[in-house]
């Protein structure tokens, strides 16, 4: 019951934080002077294209861009009726992309699940690599195993993602036959899900998962190793050794459990960091994620598309943070609900 109350409290906190973030996102998006339509109107007037100016002016009125900024915000969120009534984020209307001349929902529809799929695969890769390497490095400290793992970790941190993508783009395809570009074979695009399509997606995931997850795995491995070494140097470890506890049981029962807290807490930062860090990788590898759409929207001041993508990244951050908080409460008995509620 206590855990359910705490989970509900964290969920309400997440919603409140998301509302504050929406205000910040909207303000930041509107900080540069002008917008897509006002810039387009200035260009059309300079070239004497009256019909184009009339269409742009109509769009400004249709999407309430001619109203005060505070009214634009409440209409965008869906808390205030606009020219089309209550039609905003709360009602599932993400706005119109002026750059692509399509609803934002159509542009990001497939890209959203592909983005989630790529980054979830990268997160699994990070944990599958960082956990064993971090534990082994700490348990075999100052041995060739530790030095080798450390070298691999520093190499992963020092290599830019886009450079690693370019290397695998060439050598992975040439020597390993890995498919490069896109998230599936073109023959499966627009087709219903099938075993062949699933297999094609999984094969295409190999390169982006490795590229996006390498730096995250390297950093997390180093943090886990440092935490493990700190725990292994504490007196209770020597006491457990003196009692005859086996090395494997000693590592899993006490030091690993205590060192795992920051490992779990990183979930909140890992997902959004990978989404933002995969923008260039998506461009290089031709992935149909939201990264290229965000880049195009920011360059052209396509405010509705850019704002939605930023809100999506913020939502991932808040969901990851909430999950990490709930897992920490379950993992570490030293964390009490009452300390947070009181």
């Amino acid at each position: 019951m206590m855990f359910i109350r705490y989970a509900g409290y964290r969920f309400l906190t997440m919603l409140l934080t998301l509302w504050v973030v929406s205000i910040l996102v909207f303000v930041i998006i509107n900080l540069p002077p002008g917008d897509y339509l006002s810039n387009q109107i200035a260009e059309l007037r300079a070239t004497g294209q009256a019909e184009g100016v009339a269409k742009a002016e109509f769009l400004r009125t249709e999407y309430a861009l001619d109203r005060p900024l505070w009214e634009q915000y409440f209409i965008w969120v869906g808390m205030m009726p606009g020219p089309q009534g209550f039609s905003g984020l709360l009602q599932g209307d993400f706005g119109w992309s002026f750059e692509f001349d399509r609803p934002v929902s159509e542009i990001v529809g497939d890209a959203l699940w592909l983005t989630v799929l790529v980054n979830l695969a990268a997160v699994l890769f990070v944990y599958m690599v960082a956990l064993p390497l971090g534990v082994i490095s700490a348990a075999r400290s100052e041995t060739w195993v530790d030095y080798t793992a450390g070298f691999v970790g520093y190499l992963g941190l020092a290599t830019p993602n886009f450079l690693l993508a370019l290397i695998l783009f060439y050598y992975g395809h040439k020597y390993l036959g890995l498919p490069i570009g896109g998230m599936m074979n073109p023959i499966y695009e627009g087709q219903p899900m099938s075993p062949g399509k699933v297999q094609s997606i999984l094969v295409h995931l190999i390169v982006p998962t490795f590229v996006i997850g390498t730096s995250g795995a390297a950093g997390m491995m180093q943090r886990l190793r440092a935490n493990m070494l700190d725990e292994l140097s504490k007196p209770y470890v020597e006491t457990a050794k003196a009692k005859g506890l086996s090395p494997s049981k000693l590592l899993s029962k006490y030091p690993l459990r205590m060192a795992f807290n920051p490992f779990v807490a990183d979930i909140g930062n890992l997902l959004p960091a990978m989404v933002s860090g995969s923008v260039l990788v998506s461009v290089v590898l031709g992935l149909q994620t939201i990264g290229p759409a965000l880049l195009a929207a920011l360059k052209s001041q396509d405010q509705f598309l850019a704002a939605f993508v930023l809100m999506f990244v913020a939502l991932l951050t808040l969901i990851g943070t909430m999950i990490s908080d709930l897992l920490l409460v379950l993992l570490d008995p030293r964390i009490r609900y009452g300390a947070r509620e009181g």
Side-chain angles (χ1 to χ4, degrees):
M1 181 62 68
M2 186 79 70
F3 177 78
I4 295 176
R5 286 179 55 197
Y6 176 68
Y9 164 75
R10 283 294 291 112
F11 181 72
L12 292 176
T13 304
M14 184 189 75
L15 293 181
L16 179 61
T17 306
L18 189 63
W19 177 57
V20 175
V21 169
S22 71
I23 297 175
L24 294 176
V25 165
F26 190 82
V27 170
I28 291 172
I29 287 293
N30 285 277
L31 279 179
D35 53 48
Y36 184 92
L37 289 178
S38 61
N39 295 336
Q40 187 182 58
I41 289 172
E43 293 178 6
L44 292 173
R45 282 177 175 166
T47 56
Q49 301 181 44
E51 293 182 1
V53 171
K55 179 182 177 181
E57 292 285 4
F58 169 77
L59 288 174
R60 281 182 60 82
T61 304
E62 184 73 7
Y63 290 97
L65 297 181
D66 57 341
R67 300 193 185 187
L69 199 60
W70 68 271
E71 286 189 28
Q72 293 183 37
Y73 168 75
F74 284 109
I75 293 172
W76 171 64
V77 174
M79 300 171 65
M80 180 178 182
Q84 303 171 17
F86 285 95
S87 182
L89 295 180
L90 295 177
Q91 290 78 32
D93 183 2
F94 305 144
W96 186 269
S97 170
F98 304 112
E99 173 72 12
F100 297 98
D101 199 24
R102 292 165 58 196
V104 171
S105 58
E106 290 185 9
I107 297 171
V108 302
D110 292 336
L112 281 182
W113 78 265
L114 288 174
T115 301
V116 172
L117 178 63
V118 170
N119 286 278
L120 281 180
V123 169
L124 290 176
F125 172 81
V126 167
Y127 281 91
M128 290 174 62
V129 171
L131 179 57
L133 287 182
V135 173
I136 293 172
S137 296
R140 299 287 184 267
S141 178
E142 298 184 1
T143 65
W144 69 270
V145 176
D146 183 25
Y147 296 143
T148 303
F151 174 76
V152 173
Y154 287 124
L155 190 63
L157 287 172
T159 306
N161 283 353
F162 72 90
L163 179 59
L164 186 60
L166 288 172
I167 294 172
L168 289 180
F169 189 95
Y170 178 75
Y171 290 102
H173 182 68
K174 182 176 180 180
Y175 295 107
L176 300 177
L178 294 176
I180 301 295
M183 285 301 301
M184 66 188 74
N185 192 306
I187 64 173
Y188 293 112
E189 292 183 3
Q191 299 296 322
M193 197 61 67
S194 64
K197 185 173 182 178
V198 172
Q199 182 181 359
S200 179
I201 292 173
L202 292 177
V203 173
H204 279 74
L205 270 176
I206 295 175
V207 173
T209 297
F210 185 81
V211 171
I212 297 171
T214 300
S215 59
M220 189 170 286
M221 183 197 73
Q222 295 295 337
R223 289 192 295 275
L224 181 60
R225 176 185 178 275
N227 293 332
M228 282 288 295
L229 287 176
D230 181 59
E231 291 296 327
L232 289 172
S233 65
K234 292 182 177 178
Y236 74 85
V237 176
E238 298 299 327
T239 303
K241 287 180 181 179
K243 290 183 177 181
L245 207 63
S246 64
S248 59
K249 191 172 183 180
L250 171 64
L251 282 174
S252 60
K253 190 172 183 180
Y254 296 111
L256 180 58
R257 190 175 178 184
M258 296 300 103
F260 209 60
N261 284 3
F263 201 68
V264 172
D266 276 341
I267 296 175
N269 300 321
L270 198 58
L271 276 173
M274 287 188 170
V275 172
S276 58
S278 64
V279 173
L280 289 178
V281 175
S282 298
V283 173
V284 172
L285 295 180
L287 306 180
Q288 296 89 1
T289 62
I290 60 173
L294 174 61
L295 192 61
L298 292 175
K299 287 170 61 178
S300 63
Q301 291 184 277
D302 193 357
Q303 64 184 68
F304 291 121
L305 178 57
F308 174 77
V309 174
L310 291 176
M311 285 295 296
F312 175 70
V313 175
L315 181 62
L316 283 182
T317 305
L318 294 172
I319 291 176
T321 303
M322 186 178 72
I323 292 174
S324 66
D325 281 355
L326 296 179
L327 289 177
L328 282 173
V329 167
L330 293 175
L331 179 69
D332 193 341
R334 297 173 299 180
I335 299 175
R336 297 296 180 217
Y337 312 104
R340 295 178 177 235
E341 294 179 355

